[in-house]
Amino acid sequence: MNKAFVKETEGDEDDLDAAMPPIPAGAKNYITPAGYRRIKDELLQLIDVDRPEVVRVVHWAASNGDRSENGDYIYGKKRLREIDRRIRFLTKRMDLAEVVDPSVHHGSDQVFFGATVTYQNQAGAEHTVTIVGIDELDPLNGKISWISPVARALTKAREGEVVTLHTPGGIEELELLEVTYPAAS
């Protein structure tokens, strides 16, 4: 096969800004200490373990001769570009991050970043969510971004209050049942 049909261009990389979840204009990229630690650990894993291993494989594959049909070499170079792209992405996210420790609000009944909130909707269903940064978002485990509509509706409210959530299906009222924060470590 002609190399012209398989060669990847140097400008083929994703635009890092397009891959990032949007941050409201003028706002910071808030993140909890645990979230920042997770990003840092992933970055160090990529730099110290994954990338050197892939470089070793690519070096070995290149020494085997013809690179145009060498699967180890071709895959290794592609994997190396993916790792480098992820390293740049994580580095940029860490540069933009503003670590906020939610334990400073321990004992408070008002909702701020890092709060774990139990609320009840109009149908009587209870939900528990933790308000975290956009890089820590995990809705299936109850972690919602501080810029989400639910988090914005809950923010600054206190236990026992009823807040209004504007949804595509209409207005819904949420009653705050409990607000907790992690204890200082």
Side-chain angles (χ1 to χ4, degrees):
M1 181 183 283
N2 188 333
K3 285 185 180 182
F5 293 108
V6 294
K7 181 166 175 66
E8 295 181 24
T9 62
E10 296 299 319
D12 193 36
E13 296 182 13
D14 298 334
D15 180 19
L16 293 177
D17 290 332
M20 293 181 175
I23 299 171
K28 306 241 185 222
N29 181 23
Y30 298 114
I31 190 167
T32 64
Y36 189 82
R37 205 169 21 261
R38 186 183 50 78
I39 289 175
K40 186 176 180 180
D41 290 347
E42 181 183 352
L43 180 62
L44 293 176
Q45 171 73 22
L46 289 171
I47 291 171
D48 296 338
V49 179
D50 296 350
R51 191 174 195 288
E53 178 62 24
V54 173
V55 167
R56 187 188 62 71
V57 170
V58 169
H59 177 69
W60 168 81
S63 69
N64 288 337
D66 185 13
R67 296 176 185 171
S68 65
E69 295 181 14
N70 185 331
D72 288 329
Y73 178 80
I74 293 168
Y75 174 75
K77 291 293 282 185
K78 181 179 182 205
R79 179 71 182 125
L80 201 54
R81 282 191 299 274
E82 291 169 355
I83 289 171
D84 288 343
R85 186 176 306 128
R86 184 69 180 166
I87 288 171
R88 283 191 307 276
F89 174 80
L90 293 173
T91 302
K92 191 169 185 179
R93 290 309 262 203
M94 287 177 68
D95 289 345
L96 294 173
E98 181 159 327
V99 180
V100 177
D101 188 0
S103 67
V104 299
H105 296 292
H106 183 71
S108 173
D109 69 342
Q110 191 171 14
V111 180
F112 294 107
F113 181 83
T116 298
V117 182
T118 301
Y119 65 89
Q120 184 176 34
N121 64 14
Q122 289 172 324
E126 283 189 19
H127 300 278
T128 300
V129 296
T130 301
I131 301 171
V132 296
I134 57 178
D135 294 322
E136 305 170 87
L137 161 68
D138 187 2
L140 296 178
N141 290 315
K143 293 186 176 186
I144 62 171
S145 167
W146 67 276
I147 61 173
S148 71
V150 173
R152 287 182 175 260
L154 296 172
T155 300
K156 296 189 180 173
R158 294 186 180 275
E159 254 178 46
E161 287 185 15
V162 175
V163 297
T164 303
L165 173 64
H166 298 276
T167 67
I171 295 175
E172 189 171 350
E173 291 186 344
L174 309 176
E175 179 184 357
L176 279 73
L177 303 175
E178 183 181 24
V179 178
T180 60
Y181 292 93
S185 349

